[in-house]
């Protein structure tokens, strides 16, 4: 294989990274406040609106936008399109960090963070959330295992811990050797397991709301909601790869990878088209198109989601001209990413209307700080790990040197 | 190539056989409602809005003292919801009917957990901290709870409240149906026992339904012909009869199908015995095997034209 990855060996503390650190600090202060004064101290959550920004963005959108991990693994490793290998590692890193921060976000959101292990002991197989939680737990571990070879590649044979830790060089080396041996032999299992677990919980996230038919707006409440969640997650996988690769390669001044990203989005034309067809078919079959012009906030959010987030970028990607322009590809991919994000927020927050109290909800400043802080933390760790581990594609000039 | 093709079909065949074997007839969803639970019938034509039930509830359940005393009826001037400090509240509605002295006649409505026969909260609860008991109560076990608040999302009556200001051990708070008093001491729920006008009748749910329908039949002019809770969300342990249409009194229309039915049917038909993940795993292994030497032969490099 011609492709190889390497640490980027660039200066770490750039102005952008400093900004991320400040945002993380603000989020951390808010999280401390949450553990002193309670969830009610930093959020606008109430009896009628128990789930808000944290579930809609940190958890539901976090899971959906981490779908690049299993969709690229499927492409490069299950159907052996090794051509796409260079985007697999960055997508895997995004997924690993994405799910890690989903769990961190959940720890802040659930009332008893210390009790998060209890679903492993007290099972309720009737609960959709139980299945989602089990899948997320297993998948997070699968992602860590899939990441092991990257660490092994960097450090095997050259573990050199500083100062008094040097005594641990031998054991660390042995550990890497064992990890290498195990993950090398069993990696195919983890790759398939990752796809299976993803299909399970990506869809079940949509089933979560099926228990609340009186609360979720009919534009979203449909028995095929789990199917819509699954197809949209699969469809957003490659656009998310384009989105982050373009951001990363332009901010780190690396090669744009256009020769990989352009053909990658041809799959998206089909996958996003499938999602669009299901979504429109659902409107027709259930007759919910009658709501489309009633001008309420819910309806407008739905229109924004489907027109700006699905139809416009789909039409853009159908055109080869757009697929081959870096700017066009980035805009279309950003719209798709934004559309899926808006869809998850719509299902869990905007479209959620408690019919008795008719309580409204807007996220508190504290909730926003936590969410922004977590996203900044994710980007910070991404930047840190690509600086020191072989994740990103080796720049072309270095290969030729 | 030939070899890999053959291997591929072998795996696919095995997968197909596995799929066929797991293709047993799908079982229909079954209610897990108790056979003969207790319940309460609230006759809204009898309630005088004295708030004694609120007071008894606070005492029996050891809830905090309210800001305004229970005999202060100005509390009724605005609509309230049960919260983490009060499991039941009484609200006042005016239907526009007036008495012989031209005074508006109020209707008082007591709200608390309906103790559904097939509770959405219990189906949703990730750890099974909420359960429907044989005696009808939907009980909460704080020692299992992780605080995800999915029960609050699931409840169609917006009942479970949360101790949002407790940072470490917040609880879900809702009417307990005085589970221990009823199950162990053989007493009535606090509110039903104290009610001075017998607006709340405690008894077996089947008996209460008979009582409710008899009152309606004996007094067709006085009552609306509807026992709220008989069929709502598949039936509830608390039920109401009224002289006003329920939609004017803060009651919402809910489906007659138990709410857990759809999600549970989907979950169990997809995931019982984990058959679908196992089949998917087998299929993907087959695909991976089949493609293992295939490489990128048929990739055309569209990007190169750019």
């Amino acid at each position: 294989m011609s492709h190889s990855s390497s640490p980027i060996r660039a200066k770490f503390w750039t102005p952008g990274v400093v900004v991320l650190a400040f945002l993380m600090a603000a989020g951390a202060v808010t999280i401390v406040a949450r553990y002193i004064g309670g969830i009610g101290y930093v959020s606008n959550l109430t009896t009628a609106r128990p789930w808000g920004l944290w579930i809609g963005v940190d958890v539901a959108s976090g899971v959906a936008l981490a779908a690049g991990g299993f969709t690229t693994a499927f492409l490069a490793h299950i159907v052996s399109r090794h051509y796409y290998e260079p985007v697999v590692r960055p997508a895997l890193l995004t997924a690993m960090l994405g799910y890690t921060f989903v769990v961190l976000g959940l720890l802040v959101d659930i009332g008893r963070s210390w009790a998060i292990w209890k679903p492993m002991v007290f099972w309720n197989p009737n609960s959709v959330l139980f299945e989602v939680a089990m899948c997320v737990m297993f998948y997070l571990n699968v992602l860590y295992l899939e990441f092991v070879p990257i660490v092994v590649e960097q450090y095997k044979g050259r573990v050199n811990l500083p100062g008094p830790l040097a005594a641990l060089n031998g054991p660390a080396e042995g550990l890497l050797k064992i990890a290498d041996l195990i993950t090398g032999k069993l990696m195919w299992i983890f790759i398939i397991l990752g796809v299976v677990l993803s299909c399970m919980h990506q869809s079940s996230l949509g089933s979560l709301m099926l228990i609340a038919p009186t609360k979720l707006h009919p534009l979203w409440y449909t028995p095929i909601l789990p199917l819509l969640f699954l197809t949209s997650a699969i469809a957003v996988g490659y656009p998310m790869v384009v989105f982050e690769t373009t951001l990363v390669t332009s901010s780190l001044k690396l090669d744009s990878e256009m020769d990989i990203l352009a053909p990658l989005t041809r799959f998206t034309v089909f996958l996003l088209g499938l999602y669009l067809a299901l979504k429109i078919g659902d409107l027709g079959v259930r007759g919910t198109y009658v709501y489309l012009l009633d001008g309420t906030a819910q309806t407008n959010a739905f229109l924004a989601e489907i027109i700006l987030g699905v139809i416009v970028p789909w039409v853009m990607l159908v055109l080869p001209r757009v697929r081959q322009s870096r700017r066009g590809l980035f805009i279309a991919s950003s719209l798709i990413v934004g559309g899926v994000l808006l869809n998850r927020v719509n299902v869990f927050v905007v479209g959620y209307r408690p019919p008795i109290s008719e309580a409204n909800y807007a996220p508190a400043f504290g909730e926003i700080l936590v969410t922004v802080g977590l996203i900044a933390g994710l980007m910070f760790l991404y930047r840190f790990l690509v600086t020191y581990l072989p994740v990103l594609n080796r720049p072309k000039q270095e290969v030729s040197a | 190539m030939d070899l890999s093709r053959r291997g591929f079909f072998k795996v696919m065949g095995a997968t197909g056989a596995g799929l066929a074997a797991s293709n047993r007839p799908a079982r229909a969803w079954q209610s897990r409602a108790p056979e003969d639970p207790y319940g309460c019938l609230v006759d809204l034509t009898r309630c005088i809005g004295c708030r004694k039930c609120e007071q008894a509830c606070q005492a029996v359940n050891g809830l905090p003292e309210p800001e305004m005393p229970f005999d202060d009826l100005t509390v009724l001037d605005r609509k309230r919801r049960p919260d983490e400090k009060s499991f039941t509240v009484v609200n006042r509605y005016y239907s526009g009917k007036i008495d012989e002295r031209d005074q508006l006649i109020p209707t008082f409505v007591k709200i608390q957990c309906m103790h559904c026969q097939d509770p959405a909260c219990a189906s949703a609860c990730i750890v099974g901290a909420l359960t429907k008991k044989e005696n009808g109560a939907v009980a909460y076990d704080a020692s299992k709870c992780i605080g995800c608040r999915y029960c609050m999302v699931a409840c169609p009556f917006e009942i479970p409240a949360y101790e949002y200001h407790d940072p470490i051990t917040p609880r879900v708070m809702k009417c307990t149906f005085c589970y221990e008093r009823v199950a162990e001491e053989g007493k009535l729920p606090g509110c039903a026992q104290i009610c001075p006008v017998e607006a709340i009748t405690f008894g077996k749910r089947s008996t209460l339904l008979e009582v409710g329908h008899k009152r309606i039949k004996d007094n067709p002019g006085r009552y609306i012909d509807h026992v709220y809770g008989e069929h709502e969300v598949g039936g509830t342990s608390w039920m109401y009869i009224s002289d006003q249409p329920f939609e004017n009194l803060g009651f919402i229309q809910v489906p007659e199908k138990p709410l857990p039915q759809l999600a549970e049917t989907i979950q169990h038909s997809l995931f019982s015995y984990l058959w679908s993940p196992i089949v998917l795993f087998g299929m993907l292994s087959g695909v991976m095997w089949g493609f293992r030497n295939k490489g990128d032969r048929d990739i055309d490099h569209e990007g190169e034209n750019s």
Side-chain angles (χ1 to χ4, degrees):
Chain A
M1 241 155 291
S2 57
H3 136 262
S4 62
S5 310
S6 71
I8 57 169
R9 298 195 199 97
K11 195 178 137 208
F12 182 69
W13 286 102
T14 58
V17 176
V18 174
V19 171
L20 289 181
F22 269 109
L23 295 175
M24 283 161 68
V29 170
T30 319
I31 291 173
V32 169
R34 176 254 177 267
Y35 284 106
I36 292 171
I39 295 171
Y41 184 55
V42 296
S43 80
N44 283 345
L45 299 172
T46 58
T47 297
R49 304 294 303 249
W51 285 359
L53 183 75
W54 291 341
I55 294 293
V57 174
D58 308 8
V59 177
S61 304
V63 167
L65 298 182
F70 82 96
T71 47
T72 53
F74 175 83
L75 191 62
H77 296 147
I78 293 184
V79 294
S80 288
R81 299 294 187 101
H82 297 296
Y83 179 70
Y84 297 103
E85 204 77 53
V87 294
V88 173
R89 281 189 173 185
L92 169 64
L93 177 59
T94 312
M96 182 182 90
L97 292 176
Y99 276 86
T100 304
F101 279 83
V102 163
V103 174
L104 292 179
L106 267 177
L107 282 172
V108 177
D109 182 83
I110 67 172
R112 301 174 167 220
S113 315
W114 50 271
I116 196 164
W117 54 272
K118 286 188 174 174
M120 288 192 282
V121 179
F122 305 113
W123 294 9
N124 180 10
N126 292 317
S127 169
V128 179
L129 192 59
F130 171 73
E131 187 235 313
V132 172
M134 289 295 116
C135 284
V136 168
M137 183 184 80
F138 281 114
Y139 185 46
L140 182 59
N141 287 295
V142 165
L143 285 167
Y144 289 146
L145 286 168
E146 286 186 56
F147 198 76
V148 165
I150 299 176
V151 179
V152 169
E153 180 183 317
Q154 181 67 17
Y155 291 111
K156 195 179 161 199
R158 44 190 147 145
V159 175
N160 188 13
L161 296 166
L165 290 174
L168 295 172
N169 279 350
E173 198 67 67
L175 210 64
L176 284 179
K177 230 171 245 163
I178 295 169
D180 190 23
L181 213 65
I182 294 175
T183 53
K185 284 262 187 294
L186 299 180
M187 189 47 78
W188 70 275
I189 294 180
F190 301 138
I191 289 168
I192 298 176
L193 207 55
V195 176
V196 172
L197 289 168
S198 293
C199 289
M200 287 171 77
H201 72 268
Q202 291 284 4
S203 58
S204 295
L205 267 177
S207 308
L208 278 181
M209 278 297 158
L210 294 184
I211 201 149
T214 59
K215 293 182 177 174
L216 183 58
H217 191 286
L219 281 172
W220 293 279
Y221 187 90
T222 161
I224 67 160
L225 197 54
L227 182 62
L228 291 174
F229 264 51
L230 179 63
T231 47
S232 56
I234 293 175
V236 83
Y238 302 144
M240 190 63 195
V241 168
V242 173
F243 178 75
E244 58 172 274
T245 304
T246 309
L247 285 182
V248 168
T249 53
S250 43
S251 82
L252 297 175
K253 301 186 178 56
L254 302 171
D255 183 70
S256 73
E257 312 278 8
M258 271 304 284
D259 50 343
I260 294 169
L261 301 184
L264 191 60
T265 47
R266 282 182 308 170
F267 301 109
T268 306
V269 175
F270 168 72
L271 295 170
L272 193 67
L274 181 69
Y275 173 57
L276 180 62
L278 285 171
K279 198 103 171 144
I280 290 177
D282 179 60
L283 282 182
V285 169
R286 292 185 306 114
T288 44
Y289 51 82
V290 296
Y291 295 99
L292 283 182
L293 295 175
D294 68 7
T296 60
Q298 279 86 13
T299 304
N300 292 338
F302 183 87
L303 287 173
E305 168 198 328
I306 199 147
I307 295 175
L308 290 177
V310 186
I311 296 175
V312 169
W314 185 76
V315 171
M316 285 175 77
L317 287 182
V318 168
L319 309 170
R321 198 158 43 90
V322 174
R323 284 209 304 279
Q324 282 158 24
S325 118
R326 192 176 187 214
R327 178 186 296 261
L329 204 58
F330 180 70
I331 293 173
S333 298
S334 308
L335 285 174
I336 297 169
V337 168
V340 170
L341 178 79
L342 182 57
N343 172 257
R344 299 310 194 256
V345 171
N346 280 346
V347 168
F348 288 100
V349 182
V350 178
Y352 186 87
R353 303 178 307 171
I356 299 176
S357 59
E358 295 177 338
N360 287 317
Y361 161 85
F365 190 55
E367 286 172 82
I368 296 171
L369 280 183
V370 170
T371 296
V372 169
L374 287 173
I375 296 170
L378 190 158
M379 292 168 72
F380 184 91
L381 268 183
Y382 184 100
R383 181 66 168 73
F384 179 80
L385 291 174
V386 300
T387 305
Y388 295 106
L389 288 174
V391 174
L392 296 176
N393 205 13
R394 194 187 295 273
K396 292 245 160 70
Q397 62 272 20
E398 212 180 81
V399 175
S400 59
Chain B
M1 188 64 213
D2 266 356
L3 192 75
S4 87
R5 270 290 148 90
R6 206 174 305 141
F8 175 69
F9 286 121
K10 212 186 277 172
V11 175
M12 290 304 282
T15 310
L19 184 63
S22 67
N23 210 353
R24 58 219 146 59
R27 286 158 305 157
W29 181 84
Q30 288 220 313
S31 164
R32 293 182 297 277
E35 289 271 313
D36 195 18
Y38 286 110
C40 281
L41 178 70
V42 185
D43 190 333
L44 298 181
T45 66
R46 295 185 180 182
C47 180
I48 54 169
C50 65
R51 302 184 65 213
K52 286 275 194 299
C53 52
E54 291 185 34
Q55 188 167 16
C57 180
Q58 182 257 335
V60 167
N61 292 293
L63 297 171
E65 288 283 338
E67 278 169 38
M68 288 155 86
F70 286 109
D71 53 10
D72 183 346
L73 297 183
T74 61
V75 168
L76 295 169
D77 289 346
R78 59 178 191 88
K79 300 281 183 291
R80 294 172 301 153
R81 300 285 310 159
D83 58 27
E84 73 277 15
K85 290 177 183 142
S86 45
F87 294 164
T88 186
V89 294
V90 175
N91 281 328
R92 181 182 59 208
Y93 292 84
Y94 290 113
S95 59
K97 260 208 251 177
I98 46 173
D99 62 14
E100 60 277 14
R101 283 171 301 161
D102 285 350
Q103 298 288 305
L104 284 166
I105 303 176
T107 304
F108 297 99
V109 180
K110 174 188 184 298
I111 327 171
Q112 72 297 306
C113 173
M114 299 288 283
H115 298 277
C116 304
Q117 283 287 74
D118 280 296
C121 58
S123 167
C125 180
I126 182 168
V127 285
L130 286 154
T131 44
K132 178 76 174 174
K133 300 291 185 192
E134 273 307 305
N135 73 357
V138 176
Y140 169 66
D141 178 355
S143 70
K144 289 183 179 173
C145 181
I146 68 167
C148 68
R149 306 189 298 285
Y150 189 27
C151 52
M152 298 162 66
V153 170
C155 175
F157 302 109
E158 297 171 39
I159 290 299
Y162 202 61
E163 295 181 317
Y164 279 110
H165 289 278
D166 181 331
I168 306 296
T169 54
R171 290 168 297 172
V172 168
M173 302 296 276
K174 72 167 198 70
C175 161
T176 61
F177 204 10
C178 291
Y179 175 68
E180 264 138 45
R181 273 170 69 95
V182 172
E184 277 149 39
E185 299 167 37
K187 291 190 196 160
L188 305 187
C191 55
Q193 184 160 21
I194 203 155
C195 181
V197 290
E198 288 181 42
I200 308 169
T201 313
F202 175 84
K204 287 288 184 183
R205 185 172 184 271
S206 47
T207 319
L208 295 176
L209 276 169
E210 280 170 34
V211 171
H213 282 295
K214 183 163 187 306
R215 280 192 209 163
I216 293 171
K217 201 172 139 216
D218 292 348
N219 249 313
R222 183 181 170 98
Y223 293 101
I224 301 282
D225 187 13
H226 182 180
V227 179
Y228 191 96
E230 180 175 13
H231 300 298
E232 276 74 11
V233 291
T236 56
S237 281
W238 276 71
M239 293 173 292
Y240 293 79
I241 51 176
S242 161
D243 58 351
Q244 300 295 322
F246 283 103
E247 57 268 29
N248 299 346
L249 301 174
F251 291 84
I252 55 157
Q253 269 208 336
V254 289
E256 295 203 345
K257 232 172 49 174
L259 296 189
Q261 186 170 344
L262 177 60
E264 285 187 6
T265 304
I266 292 177
Q267 286 300 98
H268 292 310
S269 48
L270 279 179
F271 298 122
S272 51
Y273 308 107
L274 292 177
W275 74 266
S276 70
I278 292 169
V279 167
L280 185 59
F281 191 97
M283 281 166 61
L284 289 172
S285 318
V287 171
M288 200 175 189
W289 175 265
F291 275 89
R292 76 193 187 288
N293 294 324
K294 201 162 160 278
D296 289 312
R297 222 166 308 155
D298 52 352
I299 278 272
D300 54 323
H301 296 217
E302 185 188 340
E304 284 175 358
N305 305 329
S306 63

